[in-house]
Amino acid sequence: MLLRTLTRLTTSPPLKHRLPSLNLSNHPTTHRVAILTTTVKMSFTTKAKIASFGGTLYKLSHKSSTTGTEMAVSLYLPPQVVNSNAKVPVLIYLSGLTCTPDNCAEKGFFQHALAQRGIAFVLPDTSPRGLNHPGEDESYDFGSAASFYINATQEPWKKGYQMETYLTEELPETLFNDEEFGRYLDGGRVSITGHSMGGHGALTLYLKYPGLYKSVSAFAPIANPSQCPWGEKAFKGYLGEDREEWKKHDATELVRKVKKGTDLKMLVDVGTGDQFYQQKQLLPENFEAAVEEAGAEGLELRYQDAYDHSYFFIASFAEDHVNHAAKYLLA
Amino acid sequence: MLLRTLTRLTTSPPLKHRLPSLNLSNHPTTHRVAILTTTVKMSFTTKAKIASFGGTLYKLSHKSSTTGTEMAVSLYLPPQVVNSNAKVPVLIYLSGLTCTPDNCAEKGFFQHALAQRGIAFVLPDTSPRGLNHPGEDESYDFGSAASFYINATQEPWKKGYQMETYLTEELPETLFNDEEFGRYLDGGRVSITGHSMGGHGALTLYLKYPGLYKSVSAFAPIANPSQCPWGEKAFKGYLGEDREEWKKHDATELVRKVKKGTDLKMLVDVGTGDQFYQQKQLLPENFEAAVEEAGAEGLELRYQDAYDHSYFFIASFAEDHVNHAAKYLLA
């Protein structure tokens, strides 16, 4: 490992980004590199390395300057990266309320199809952790594990709760330029998916940043957050009372603005047995109506009979979502 | 539901087994049936019914006369049972230390391949629960969730810890004759698999009861428990000090007794990164040597590079184990 590190250093590119501040006691790898040189860019600490479906799942963390916290993120490298110089495309998965990067890695069953198609998987965390804002850990649907993947404008949340910037700028820049992992990942071929709050995140980031992602899909997304209890609570807390501001972060409002005939390249699954769909927290019908009004195309919205909101639902259709992304990532 | 129940009652067979004692407040379905008649045999309480890979996962419980406790068991019915009168074969999965029927259902991903092959899945619990034997809940590797799937002979464990009888007699008899689920399950086509302690359970029950199972497989089995710390602790506690008695429940000792040329129909996977393999808790090499000494055939023992002891390992090879069982169940 030391020899491998030394060998790499001789060929490592000049530093493009400042090294993250190091907690040397917890960062053996980074520590070793830091001692040898400061010209290498190894931004992640590997907490676990797990063999999965012929590839490797890495549980990582890195110091984020956007959130001001140590951010957990998991990365799955499919078997195709082994002994290959060709970079693989990337599918980003945004998790739902209460989740960490672990839940989907353990229960989502994406690795099975990702390994077949040769696509890497990136699982960011659902919020910053440990900022100690008042009320941060008091409810499952606001604060920790409930960022809604937006940039908060309200005190105290605007400090750290800048997940939109983290996900669209800092994380990809750090990951795709990382000295250890970047050489395997093609930052020019990225798609995004997510579940529930993460489905909202995937749909909104895709619509806010045209061209950043090759395609999008979602499982049981909160598709019209301005009009459901979960979204109203989160947007009021993070964005304030102005509902016009909320519309900038609502997939149903965002899709109204796409040009007629736009190919959305979008797959959405919703289970008819999903209690949150039944409770009108998801409102895919509003999103579908807005797509039709806008005259956009390429939305495949499927209602899956009897499926609930759980990872059993996600696992059952993960292969379809990987194949949807592969249509555009491997084109 | 009531109508469906009433319709069933008119055609239900006479009672072959006594009804389990009912906790009416918690057993709405059983309650209704009990009020209508006592001639129906519906032995399970459904705690959850979850759509998964086109089939249905049932989280069940039933009153066991063998253990004297309410036993949890999960059942996956593949999509093939829907609108079909043909019964499907059954794969039984025995879980490892600390587990319940939930872990493998959530993280093992057998359902993906079971749905493709049309095989039902039965996940029993890892021990009786709540007998309140002294020390029952004091360690992860003895007592609750650590039955080792044998019939204990020592006090106090011989009371209730009779998992071998439960798994080979009461559970299949109850399940395959159940008025709600039995009509879908072919009790004449059953295979068995398991992980770690459950791999020990699968291998030993298969070797103890020739003909009861069509085939066997195991993930990281405790293959020679008489010779490893986990097995020594469990066998001493459940079976006493006589190591000759231990041999009757040790796969490596049992396989020595098979006839030369016996086709074991056995698939075993072990990860080379498995800390418990490295710590000599599993000892597959002893089992393999015993198979060779006995002149038995049909053992496929695979060492999977870098895989650990986790469900990531199980999920990665679940499809292979389902296909191994399918070779014999669907022959």
Side-chain angles (χ1 to χ4, degrees):
Chain A
M1 176 57 193
L2 179 58
L3 179 61
R4 178 168 148 271
T5 307
L6 285 162
T7 311
R8 274 223 224 104
L9 294 180
T10 62
T11 58
S12 60
L15 184 64
K16 293 205 193 85
H17 307 276
R18 65 170 182 73
L19 272 172
S21 61
L22 304 177
N23 173 347
L24 298 183
S25 63
N26 296 342
H27 297 49
T29 304
T30 320
H31 185 181
R32 184 185 301 119
V33 175
I35 288 169
L36 293 167
T37 173
T38 56
T39 66
V40 69
K41 177 162 40 71
M42 191 175 281
S43 307
F44 295 91
T45 303
T46 299
K47 309 276 190 175
K49 182 180 175 181
I50 304 165
S52 175
F53 288 99
T56 306
L57 176 70
Y58 294 85
K59 296 187 181 186
L60 307 172
S61 77
H62 69 119
K63 179 73 176 174
S64 167
S65 56
T66 306
T67 66
T69 64
E70 189 77 9
M71 291 295 289
V73 57
S74 288
L75 168 67
Y76 177 68
L77 294 180
Q80 289 81 354
V81 303
V82 181
N83 306 322
S84 162
N85 294 324
K87 294 185 171 187
V88 296
V90 177
L91 179 61
I92 297 172
Y93 174 91
L94 302 181
S95 299
L97 292 166
T98 77
C99 290
T100 72
D102 288 343
N103 304 75
C104 183
E106 294 174 355
K107 302 180 178 182
F109 199 51
F110 283 82
Q111 292 96 305
H112 176 264
L114 292 162
Q116 291 180 328
R117 304 308 302 271
I119 299 170
F121 202 41
V122 174
L123 302 111
D125 204 352
T126 45
S127 77
R129 309 267 180 178
L131 284 164
N132 300 319
H133 292 324
E136 182 178 272
D137 298 318
E138 280 174 16
S139 56
Y140 80 97
D141 56 1
F142 191 80
S144 294
S147 71
F148 276 74
Y149 305 109
I150 58 180
N151 288 341
T153 59
Q154 304 301 298
E155 294 289 0
W157 308 102
K158 68 189 210 181
K159 182 192 167 211
Y161 279 69
Q162 300 292 312
M163 288 294 287
E164 180 172 332
T165 299
Y166 170 73
L167 292 170
T168 57
E169 297 177 20
E170 186 182 16
L171 179 59
E173 181 176 284
T174 308
L175 187 60
F176 299 148
N177 292 304
D178 182 68
E179 193 269 348
E180 183 172 8
F181 301 110
R183 59 199 163 133
Y184 302 124
L185 305 172
D186 183 349
R189 287 185 293 156
V190 180
S191 284
I192 191 164
T193 185
H195 172 235
S196 196
M197 174 184 74
H200 144 77
L203 294 176
T204 51
L205 293 180
Y206 177 79
L207 292 166
K208 288 178 187 181
Y209 298 91
L212 188 59
Y213 308 106
K214 298 293 188 190
S215 65
V216 65
S217 72
F219 300 82
I222 303 172
N224 191 188
S226 303
Q227 303 300 323
C228 76
W230 275 341
E232 289 175 329
K233 177 180 180 178
F235 285 3
K236 185 176 176 182
Y238 295 131
L239 303 172
E241 300 285 354
D242 180 1
R243 286 179 172 259
E244 285 306 307
E245 198 57 33
W246 297 9
K247 292 183 177 179
K248 301 175 184 171
H249 309 282
D250 183 317
T252 296
E253 298 298 334
L254 287 165
V255 85
R256 296 188 199 285
K257 299 186 165 54
V258 303
K259 288 206 185 80
K260 188 162 191 278
T262 298
D263 178 3
L264 294 172
K265 299 169 180 162
M266 186 180 288
L267 170 64
V268 176
D269 278 316
V270 178
T272 61
D274 184 326
Q275 61 173 313
F276 302 112
Y277 165 61
Q278 293 162 355
Q279 294 167 9
K280 305 288 186 189
Q281 291 276 25
L282 308 181
L283 302 171
E285 59 275 17
N286 293 6
F287 182 74
E288 183 176 32
V291 169
E292 285 170 13
E293 286 168 33
E297 299 169 0
L299 164 65
E300 185 179 8
L301 171 58
R302 311 187 301 186
Y303 288 95
Q304 303 290 1
D305 182 41
Y307 282 87
D308 63 17
H309 200 71
S310 74
Y311 283 93
F312 288 107
F313 163 61
I314 298 170
S316 297
F317 300 101
E319 183 171 20
D320 291 351
H321 287 243
V322 169
N323 287 335
H324 172 76
K327 263 191 298 184
Y328 305 99
L329 294 174
L330 303 176
Chain B
M1 177 56 196
L2 178 58
L3 179 60
R4 179 168 147 271
T5 307
L6 285 163
T7 312
R8 275 223 222 103
L9 294 180
T10 62
T11 59
S12 61
L15 185 65
K16 294 206 192 83
H17 307 278
R18 64 171 182 71
L19 272 172
S21 62
L22 304 175
N23 173 347
L24 299 184
S25 62
N26 297 342
H27 297 51
T29 304
T30 319
H31 186 181
R32 184 183 304 119
V33 174
I35 289 170
L36 294 167
T37 173
T38 57
T39 66
V40 69
K41 175 160 45 70
M42 192 176 281
S43 307
F44 295 91
T45 302
T46 299
K47 308 276 190 174
K49 182 179 175 182
I50 303 165
S52 174
F53 288 99
T56 307
L57 176 70
Y58 294 85
K59 296 187 180 186
L60 307 171
S61 77
H62 69 118
K63 179 75 175 172
S64 166
S65 56
T66 306
T67 66
T69 64
E70 188 78 10
M71 291 295 289
V73 57
S74 288
L75 168 67
Y76 177 69
L77 294 180
Q80 289 81 355
V81 303
V82 182
N83 307 322
S84 161
N85 294 324
K87 293 184 171 189
V88 296
V90 177
L91 179 60
I92 298 172
Y93 175 90
L94 301 181
S95 300
L97 293 166
T98 76
C99 291
T100 71
D102 288 343
N103 304 75
C104 183
E106 294 174 354
K107 302 179 179 181
F109 298 114
F110 285 80
Q111 293 97 304
H112 177 261
L114 292 162
Q116 291 179 329
R117 305 307 302 271
I119 299 171
F121 203 41
V122 174
L123 301 111
D125 205 352
T126 45
S127 77
R129 309 268 180 178
L131 284 164
N132 301 321
H133 292 323
E136 183 178 274
D137 298 318
E138 280 174 14
S139 56
Y140 80 97
D141 56 1
F142 191 80
S144 294
S147 71
F148 275 73
Y149 305 110
I150 57 180
N151 288 342
T153 59
Q154 305 300 297
E155 293 290 358
W157 307 102
K158 69 193 222 182
K159 181 190 168 214
Y161 279 70
Q162 300 293 313
M163 288 294 286
E164 180 172 333
T165 299
Y166 170 74
L167 291 171
T168 57
E169 296 177 20
E170 185 183 17
L171 179 59
E173 181 177 286
T174 307
L175 188 58
F176 300 148
N177 292 307
D178 182 69
E179 193 269 349
E180 182 171 10
F181 300 110
R183 59 197 162 138
Y184 302 123
L185 305 172
D186 183 349
R189 287 185 293 157
V190 180
S191 284
I192 191 164
T193 185
H195 172 236
S196 197
M197 174 184 74
H200 144 76
L203 294 176
T204 52
L205 293 180
Y206 177 79
L207 292 166
K208 288 178 187 181
Y209 298 91
L212 187 59
Y213 308 106
K214 298 292 188 189
S215 65
V216 65
S217 72
F219 300 82
I222 303 172
N224 191 189
S226 303
Q227 303 299 323
C228 75
W230 275 341
E232 289 175 329
K233 178 179 180 178
F235 284 3
K236 185 175 176 183
Y238 295 132
L239 303 172
E241 301 283 353
D242 181 2
R243 286 178 172 261
E244 285 306 307
E245 198 57 32
W246 297 9
K247 292 182 176 179
K248 301 176 184 170
H249 310 280
D250 183 316
T252 296
E253 298 298 333
L254 287 165
V255 84
R256 296 188 199 286
K257 298 186 164 52
V258 304
K259 287 205 186 83
K260 188 163 191 274
T262 299
D263 179 2
L264 294 172
K265 299 168 181 163
M266 187 179 288
L267 171 64
V268 177
D269 277 317
V270 179
T272 61
D274 184 327
Q275 62 174 313
F276 302 112
Y277 165 63
Q278 293 162 356
Q279 293 167 10
K280 305 289 186 189
Q281 291 277 23
L282 308 181
L283 301 170
E285 59 276 17
N286 293 6
F287 182 75
E288 184 176 32
V291 169
E292 284 171 12
E293 286 169 32
E297 298 169 1
L299 165 64
E300 185 178 9
L301 172 58
R302 310 187 302 185
Y303 289 94
Q304 303 290 1
D305 182 42
Y307 282 87
D308 62 18
H309 200 71
S310 74
Y311 283 92
F312 289 106
F313 163 60
I314 298 171
S316 298
F317 300 101
E319 183 171 18
D320 291 352
H321 287 243
V322 169
N323 288 335
H324 172 76
K327 264 192 297 184
Y328 304 98
L329 294 174
L330 303 177

